[in-house]
């Protein structure tokens, strides 16, 4: 069986019990780290898991997937992804083209939808279509860890050039850094103010706030202060 296991972002212990049991018993354990940053590092994972972890770089994941999938229909192979399944766009191509669905299982971490929960906001997730996944894979951009400040600046440039009436400099947003780690930071302010904020080391996320429930407004006001 080939398992894709979400392991969170901030701590080796973010993995689920089920995921940890698979990691301990799998014949090989790979860690995909080119699309994100894990604060505890490979050594921290190996110490907690009690076994070796193989780093899967971009070339291995996207150009030599057969090496990772070798014998996955006969033995257990674990592929660890930061945060949750879906962050690595290559996986759907492997599972759709290599073997039947019966050889593949995904195990999400406890951090599923964790980002918006930190802001106490509700969210509706749009599942990616095969067309959108294909387009994203073809773009093949190198990993870049953008700050919340830079994302806000770029978004403001887009807004200015498009004359958008939906988002402007006063739009409320939330900047989140290093989710799940001891250095986690959350800032709530306007989009124009976020440009000036420094949330420190990656990873950063920027949440654009929409229409709020009164309870959400209360919590965001708490974060703002």
């Amino acid at each position: 069986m080939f398992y894709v296991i979400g392991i969170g972002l901030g701590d080796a212990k973010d993995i689920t019990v089920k995921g940890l049991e698979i990691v301990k018993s799998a014949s090989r354990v790979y860690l995909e780290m080119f699309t994100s940053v894990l604060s505890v590092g490979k050594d921290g994972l190996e110490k907690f898991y009690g076994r070796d972890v193989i780093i899967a770089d971009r070339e291995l994941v996207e150009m030599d997937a057969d090496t990772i999938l070798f014998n996955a229909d006969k033995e257990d192979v674990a592929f660890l992804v930061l945060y949750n399944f879906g962050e690595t766009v290559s996986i759907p191509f492997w599972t759709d083209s290599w073997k039947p669905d019966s050889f593949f299982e995904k195990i999400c971490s406890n951090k599923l939808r964790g980002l918006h929960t930190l802001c106490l906001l509700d969210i509706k997730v749009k599942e990616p279509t095969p067309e959108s996944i294909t387009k994203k894979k073809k773009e093949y951009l190198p990993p870049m860890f953008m700050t919340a400040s830079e994302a806000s600046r770029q978004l403001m440039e887009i807004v200015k050039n498009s004359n958008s009436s939906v988002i402007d400099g006063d739009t409320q947003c939330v900047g989140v850094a290093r989710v799940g780690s001891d250095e986690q930071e959350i800032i709530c302010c306007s989009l124009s103010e976020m440009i000036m904020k420094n949330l420190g080391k990656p990873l950063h996320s920027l949440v654009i706030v929409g229409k709020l429930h009164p309870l959400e407004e209360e919590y965001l006001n708490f974060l703002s202060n």
Side-chain angles (χ1 to χ4, degrees), residues 175-218:
V176 183
R178 300 170 299 282
V179 174
S181 75
D182 293 337
E183 299 176 338
Q184 175 177 298
E185 188 167 354
I186 305 172
I187 293 178
C188 179
C189 60
S190 69
L191 188 61
S192 59
E193 290 173 331
M194 188 64 73
I195 295 175
M196 307 303 295
K197 301 295 184 181
N198 181 5
L199 274 69
K201 297 182 296 184
L203 284 171
H204 293 192
S205 294
L206 180 68
V207 179
I208 303 300
V209 178
K211 185 175 177 60
L212 298 175
H213 184 278
L215 288 177
E216 293 176 314
E217 289 182 349
E218 181 178 347

Side-chain angles (χ1 to χ4, degrees), residues 63-83:
M63 304 301 293
D64 195 18
D66 286 344
T67 298
I68 298 174
L69 295 170
F70 178 73
N71 260 7
D73 54 340
K74 300 181 180 68
E75 59 189 21
D76 289 344
V77 177
F79 187 85
L80 310 180
V81 296
L82 306 189
Y83 196 57

Side-chain angles (χ1 to χ4, degrees), residues 14-65:
D14 285 340
I15 192 171
T16 63
V17 173
K18 183 177 182 181
L20 182 58
E21 290 175 346
I22 293 168
V23 165
K24 287 182 175 294
S25 63
S27 60
R28 303 188 308 280
V29 180
Y30 294 91
L31 172 64
E32 187 274 282
M33 284 189 65
F34 65 84
T35 58
S36 193
V37 176
L38 180 66
S39 61
V40 296
K42 173 177 177 287
D43 293 343
L45 290 185
E46 290 181 329
K47 182 178 179 180
F48 180 70
Y49 297 159
R51 63 163 306 155
D52 293 338
V53 173
I54 304 166
I55 293 293
D57 60 17
R58 184 161 212 151
E59 183 177 356
L60 178 61
V61 171
E62 298 192 350
M63 304 301 293
D64 195 18

